[in-house]
Amino acid sequence: MTKPPSRRLPILAMLPVLIGGLALDGAPTLARPRADGALFGQPVIRTLTLPADMRPQSATYTPSGRILLTYARPGESDPRQINLAIMDDDGSHIRPIFSGTIPARPKDNGIRYMVFADNKRIFLGDFVIECPTSLDDCTQAQLVPVTYPPQVADGAHIWHRWSEMVVAPDNRHIAWTTLLANYSAAVLTGELTRGPDGYVVTRPQIISSSDPFRPDPAHADGVIPAPIRGGEVKQFVHGGSALSLVGAVKRDLPDSVVMDLASGKVTPITDTPGYTETTIFSPDERLGMVMTTRFSQTDPAILGLMPRPYPDSLNMGLSMFAYTYAVTGVRTARPGNVGPALIDIARSQREDGYLGANLSSQADWVFHSPMSWHPDSRRATWIEGLRGSETKRVQIVTLPGYKAGPAVAPRAVPDSLPYGDTDLSTLPALAGKSQNIDVKVYGRRSGHIQYRRTSGAIEKIYVDFSDDGKQVYSGRETTQINMRGQSSYEADIRLTGPKPGIMKLQMTFGPLGGPKPAAIDFTPQADGQPRSRGFAEYGGQRLSVDRLAP
């Protein structure tokens, strides 16, 4: 699918962690430290062999353990002209099942390929491809439209009706992220109901937070930040009772989280200082494939090394620069990688600094979504693109030493959510809300934070702020935003207490578009100092901005 350019719109600190070894079929073994007793053993990576006239665009494992390949033929360049084939993951037994042009619709966001658990249907976002029996023996695939609720489908308040969408194991429930015109987003769930003219999304409800602040009863001029539900959806997990999403844990750059649907409780899956976004769980839910910059020389970990209070509701808007610099820029021109990483879910949740294994195997090839797992939990696949080109390939990792557990059984998807909002008429008002925020958050033990945000600037001032009476924040950080020109981030923050930290940092980013998007500007200012300079220090680590590529 095509990612919107400004949607959230990570040199790696050497952490004291051992990661799994890695080998390539048909290529030299990569030198990677081997983790003692690693759950998944030594991964083996290979490239899916395809006929010369099939140019891969996307690939995903199906519930039957085969590969659904999206490909282009020679001379085809229209991204909405798609060809689909089913094959074994050694490239054999190729069976084309669909070829055609997917109609464009206002406010759509490209095409995704989410295979239903029944192995008969593929959710494209605005359409479903149906087969009467199974994808494995499909001969008469049919393209069927999907109708969204009118408040989501179109309107001045909608930017894209969906950014990501996922299907639950029950073959009925879906979840998606709607991007609003003011660059905010809402996460919704619903049911896909088949009618005579296609599918209709029924029983929709908003499950993301609409207001991150509530009044502080102890301070008339203060607010209390509420935990934020929502984020870009990635996968139904725990049998369908929860969602894997992009979220904020304790840093200003994103991590991966899981939200329990019944309670709305959010649980961290990763905690890294750089840019970590997607976790796709294995069927036994013991392993994860993660889109991350943690192994890259362009990892913007300096921005997230020192945790700051309330990074979800009082964030500094740094994700758009981190994503554009370390993901978009690496895909187009900048050296580096976006993983993926293979992780042990339990270790990722309990061990500080845990990284997992780097599955990026060649410097010029960069991860692209999607990622998916074979039903045996011992194989996974993803797409890589040759940097700066349209050439793509399908990568497969095998875990010969991994003893997989049973796949997590499907569970009922909760429908009655105490926090869910079934009144979609609130969406236009949500999109129309001003982005101007000016709030004061008092520490539970001392001080306060003054937070101001407009469409072009963010300021966060710490005045001896402490929630626990031990860790105390003082100082100031600011972000100046100009997506078509130069943007800047400055931090002068000191954290005192048992685990001290300091940020003395100035970074200037170039335009988010162009051949080197969000380039870090090291040219001298009038006083001779570079426009990007300084460091962050926390937990025994010190990262300097001059170690990052421009």
Side-chain angles (χ1 to χ4, degrees):
M1 70 175 277
T2 302
K3 290 285 187 186
S6 56
R7 71 179 175 124
R8 271 179 326 275
L9 335 145
I11 284 173
L12 178 68
M14 295 306 294
L15 301 175
V17 172
L18 296 176
I19 62 176
L22 184 68
L24 290 173
D25 276 353
T29 299
L30 293 180
R32 306 287 186 201
R34 179 68 183 270
D36 293 334
L39 177 67
F40 46 74
Q42 181 171 332
V44 178
I45 297 174
R46 59 186 170 87
T47 300
L48 181 64
T49 301
L50 295 169
D53 62 348
M54 299 178 77
R55 294 189 290 112
Q57 304 298 306
S58 181
T60 184
Y61 271 114
T62 69
S64 64
R66 306 190 74 199
I67 294 282
L68 171 68
L69 179 75
T70 309
Y71 64 97
R73 299 187 183 97
E76 292 179 345
S77 58
D78 182 357
R80 304 198 74 90
Q81 165 64 45
I82 68 169
N83 307 291
L84 300 180
I86 292 289
M87 65 184 64
D88 292 341
D89 67 4
D90 61 1
S92 65
H93 301 104
I94 298 173
R95 181 187 181 92
I97 64 168
F98 180 86
S99 181
T101 299
I102 308 302
R105 284 180 167 183
K107 307 299 176 77
D108 75 8
N109 193 25
I111 304 168
R112 281 177 63 83
Y113 304 91
M114 306 300 296
V115 182
F116 285 71
D118 62 16
N119 204 38
K120 296 180 181 179
R121 295 173 289 168
I122 309 165
F123 190 20
L124 306 184
D126 288 292
F127 297 87
V128 171
I129 291 178
E130 290 183 331
C131 290
T133 54
S134 164
L135 295 178
D136 295 331
D137 57 14
C138 186
T139 58
Q140 295 179 333
Q142 182 182 6
L143 185 68
V144 183
V146 176
T147 300
Y148 285 81
Q151 301 92 333
V152 171
D154 202 353
H157 62 291
I158 298 294
W159 179 26
H160 289 299
R161 116 181 92 258
W162 56 265
S163 168
E164 306 272 358
M165 22 45 79
V166 292
V167 185
D170 67 3
N171 296 302
R172 189 172 80 250
H173 285 84
I174 62 171
W176 73 97
T177 304
T178 290
L179 302 180
L180 303 174
N182 68 346
Y183 301 106
S184 64
V187 179
L188 299 93
T189 61
E191 295 184 23
L192 272 182
T193 303
R194 183 69 158 95
D197 300 320
Y199 288 87
V200 177
V201 179
T202 60
R203 305 185 66 183
Q205 58 183 322
I206 304 168
I207 65 170
S208 50
S209 303
S210 58
D211 191 343
F213 308 111
R214 57 185 175 88
D216 183 348
H219 301 91
D221 61 343
V223 299
I224 298 176
I228 299 296
R229 296 185 313 274
E232 196 167 54
V233 299
K234 298 299 179 180
Q235 183 187 21
F236 275 97
V237 295
H238 302 352
S241 64
L243 285 168
S244 172
L245 310 106
V246 182
V249 179
K250 61 182 181 182
R251 308 176 191 274
D252 268 64
L253 297 187
D255 270 289
S256 181
V257 302
V258 163
M259 187 177 92
D260 178 75
L261 288 172
S263 66
K265 179 183 178 181
V266 175
T267 302
I269 301 301
T270 65
D271 177 23
T272 59
Y275 191 93
T276 294
E277 181 182 290
T278 304
T279 296
I280 300 298
F281 286 65
S282 59
D284 66 2
E285 296 197 358
R286 297 166 67 195
L287 304 179
M289 294 283 289
V290 183
M291 171 190 167
T292 180
T293 61
R294 66 186 67 178
F295 300 110
S296 178
Q297 62 264 47
T298 49
D299 181 45
I302 192 171
L303 296 173
L305 178 64
M306 190 174 83
R308 274 96 85 199
Y310 307 109
D312 48 4
S313 52
L314 304 183
N315 75 82
M316 294 303 297
L318 299 174
S319 291
M320 74 173 81
F321 302 108
Y323 178 88
T324 308
Y325 169 77
V327 181
T328 307
V330 166
R331 286 172 176 168
T332 57
R334 193 169 288 129
N337 71 78
V338 196
L342 173 65
I343 65 169
D344 173 338
I345 296 289
R347 288 188 64 187
S348 179
Q349 290 185 285
R350 71 172 182 258
E351 292 185 20
D352 288 343
Y354 173 74
L355 297 178
N358 183 10
L359 302 184
S360 174
S361 57
Q362 290 179 278
D364 292 336
W365 290 87
V366 186
F367 165 83
H368 288 246
S369 61
M371 299 177 285
S372 63
W373 284 89
H374 187 281
D376 68 5
S377 294
R378 298 173 68 239
R379 282 171 278 179
T381 187
W382 68 96
I383 296 293
E384 288 184 347
L386 184 63
R387 178 176 294 108
S389 79
E390 298 296 321
T391 302
K392 294 182 178 180
R393 67 183 184 181
V394 181
Q395 296 292 89
I396 296 173
V397 62
T398 303
L399 308 176
Y402 176 55
K403 296 181 180 179
V408 174
R411 297 172 59 185
V413 179
D415 286 316
S416 299
L417 307 180
Y419 57 87
D421 185 359
T422 59
D423 182 9
L424 269 57
S425 68
T426 60
L427 282 174
L430 185 61
K433 277 187 177 180
S434 170
Q435 295 189 43
N436 295 342
I437 299 172
D438 190 343
V439 295
K440 194 174 189 178
V441 178
Y442 285 87
R444 296 187 184 98
R445 299 299 298 271
S446 71
H448 68 270
I449 296 172
Q450 188 72 48
Y451 180 80
R452 301 182 180 93
R453 180 177 190 136
T454 68
S455 61
I458 306 171
E459 181 184 46
K460 193 174 181 181
I461 301 172
Y462 306 85
V463 181
D464 298 331
F465 176 89
S466 179
D467 269 340
D468 62 6
K470 300 175 181 179
Q471 299 288 101
V472 182
Y473 289 83
S474 302
R476 176 176 180 261
E477 55 184 327
T478 62
T479 306
Q480 301 291 328
I481 302 168
N482 181 359
M483 291 186 285
R484 293 182 175 85
Q486 283 198 330
S487 300
S488 65
Y489 170 72
E490 295 186 29
D492 187 355
I493 311 169
R494 184 173 295 275
L495 172 61
T496 60
K499 200 167 183 179
I502 186 169
M503 292 185 75
K504 286 275 192 179
L505 181 62
Q506 177 177 318
M507 294 181 71
T508 299
F509 296 94
L512 300 191
K516 289 190 175 182
I520 299 175
D521 188 352
F522 290 101
T523 61
Q525 302 175 142
D527 61 2
Q529 294 290 320
R531 286 181 170 83
S532 297
R533 62 188 186 273
F535 66 93
E537 196 171 271
Y538 180 78
Q541 298 178 64
R542 181 185 174 104
L543 300 178
S544 299
V545 70
D546 59 11
R547 297 175 62 193
L548 287 168

